[in-house]
């Protein structure tokens, strides 16, 4: 199964005789990434490239290494071996906040919202952090009115601006997490199970929001999710994690038809 990221001449247009064609470096490049803890290998020899504007989805059962891989990419966990590049820069040893300044944004499986803060205050505080100033919780959210209004409108939360986070539905909380992420204008978004806890009624709207961020704004997205119908609808490529390794990486159709994937997950829910 191919995981090549090289654009073919037929896709790019045949060059003139003697013309040297060059293509931009992948926005994200992993080479032989591994993470070992206490002698146990959690992530083992994972390599892949992600093109600008691509939507790459990850599947696999609990414990397959999906979230651990996201932690390595975002800088929350140190790699045991291998290299990570963002826009051609080696960020393997860089801290998470440095990677964030380079345009990498991340959401988590478990909500990290502050229950007593309003929707607008969350986004205002995130705008302040993105602006490079110190955190000042008491500073009014309207210190960044344009950013707050724009992001809340983008995530369909403008009508909930003055609502505290603990009063939101699960779907609205996920939208708020995206709003907090978007105010920093990330080029590369890592979304870890954004549908977790979201009711069936709210999944379509959240799916469409994520789709629009990818298609309309051209953001590069890596997403872990257990809703296969959502992933098959959104993803350009599908990656299968299995016991910490990358078992397959190809188009969703090719991955789902792969006998190796089917055999590995016989009796296991993807």
């Amino acid at each position: 199964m191919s995981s090549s990221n090289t654009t073919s001449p037929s896709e790019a247009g045949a060059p003139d005789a003697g013309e040297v064609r060059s293509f931009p470096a992948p926005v994200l490049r992993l080479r032989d990434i591994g993470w070992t803890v206490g002698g146990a290998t959690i992530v083992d020899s994972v390599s892949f490239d992600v093109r600008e504007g691509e939507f790459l989805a990850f599947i696999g059962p609990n414990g397959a290494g999906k979230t651990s891989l996201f932690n390595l990419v975002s800088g929350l966990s140190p790699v045991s071996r291998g290299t990570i590049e963002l826009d051609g820069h080696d960020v393997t040893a860089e801290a998470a906040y440095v990677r964030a300044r380079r345009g990498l944004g991340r959401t988590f499986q478990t909500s990290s919202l502050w229950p007593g803060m309003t929707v607008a205050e969350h986004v205002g505080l995130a705008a302040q952090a993105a602006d490079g100033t110190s955190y000042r919780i008491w500073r009014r959210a309207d210190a960044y009115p344009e950013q707050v209004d724009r992001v809340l409108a983008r995530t369909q939360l403008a009508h909930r601006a003055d609502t505290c986070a603990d009063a939101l539905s699960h779907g609205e909380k996920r939208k708020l997490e995206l709003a907090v992420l978007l105010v920093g204008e990330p080029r590369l978004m890592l979304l870890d199970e954004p549908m977790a806890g979201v009711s069936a009624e709210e999944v379509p709207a959240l799916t469409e929001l994520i789709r629009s961020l990818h298609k309309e704004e051209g953001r590069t997205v890596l997403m872990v999710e257990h809703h296969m119908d959502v992933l098959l609808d959104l993803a350009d490529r599908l990656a299968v994690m299995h016991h910490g390794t990358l078992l397959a990486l190809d188009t969703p159709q090719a991955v789902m038809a792969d006998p190796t994937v089917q055999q590995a997950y016989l009796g296991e829910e993807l």
Side-chain angles (χ1 to χ4, degrees), residues 2 4 8 16 51 68 76 91 103 107 116 119 140 160 163-164 168 181 200 207 232 255 268:
S2 172
S4 172
S8 68
D16 295 333
R51 300 180 297 270
S68 295
L76 295 182
V91 299
T107 66
V119 167
R140 292 173 59 86
R160 301 289 262 167
T163 303
C164 285
L168 301 176
L181 187 69
T207 300
L232 293 176
V255 167
E268 297 186 42

Side-chain angles (χ1 to χ4, degrees), residues 27 52-53 87 102-105 184-189 218-221:
V27 65
E52 183 80 26
D87 281 332
R102 292 189 184 277
L104 188 152
E185 294 292 342
R187 289 182 57 208
L188 175 61
M189 297 170 37
R219 299 186 190 273
T220 308
V221 181

Side-chain angles (χ1 to χ4, degrees), residues 119-153:
V119 167
E121 287 169 343
H122 274 87
V123 179
L125 187 59
Q128 183 178 344
D131 193 34
T133 58
S134 60
Y135 287 100
R136 298 175 185 172
I137 298 176
W138 56 88
R139 187 171 182 177
R140 292 173 59 86
D142 57 12
Y144 299 88
E146 293 183 4
Q147 294 96 316
V148 172
D149 290 347
R150 172 179 54 80
V151 170
L152 292 186

Side-chain angles (χ1 to χ4, degrees), residues 106-115 122 173-174 177 180:
R106 164 85 187 272
T107 66
F108 298 84
Q109 294 179 21
T110 304
S111 175
S112 57
L113 302 175
W114 293 3
H122 274 87
K173 288 178 180 178
R174 294 303 188 185
E177 290 163 358
V180 168

Side-chain angles (χ1 to χ4, degrees), residues 35 41-46 58-70 72 109 193 224 226 239-247 264-265 268-270:
W35 186 41
T41 299
I42 311 301
V43 176
D44 188 14
S45 301
V46 173
F58 290 79
I59 62 173
N62 292 333
K66 305 181 301 296
T67 294
S68 295
L69 181 64
F70 271 30
L72 297 175
Q109 294 179 21
E193 296 194 34
V224 171
H226 287 288
V240 182
M241 294 291 293
H242 185 62
H243 297 310
T245 65
L246 188 61
L247 181 65
Y265 286 101
E268 297 186 42
E269 183 178 355
L270 287 177

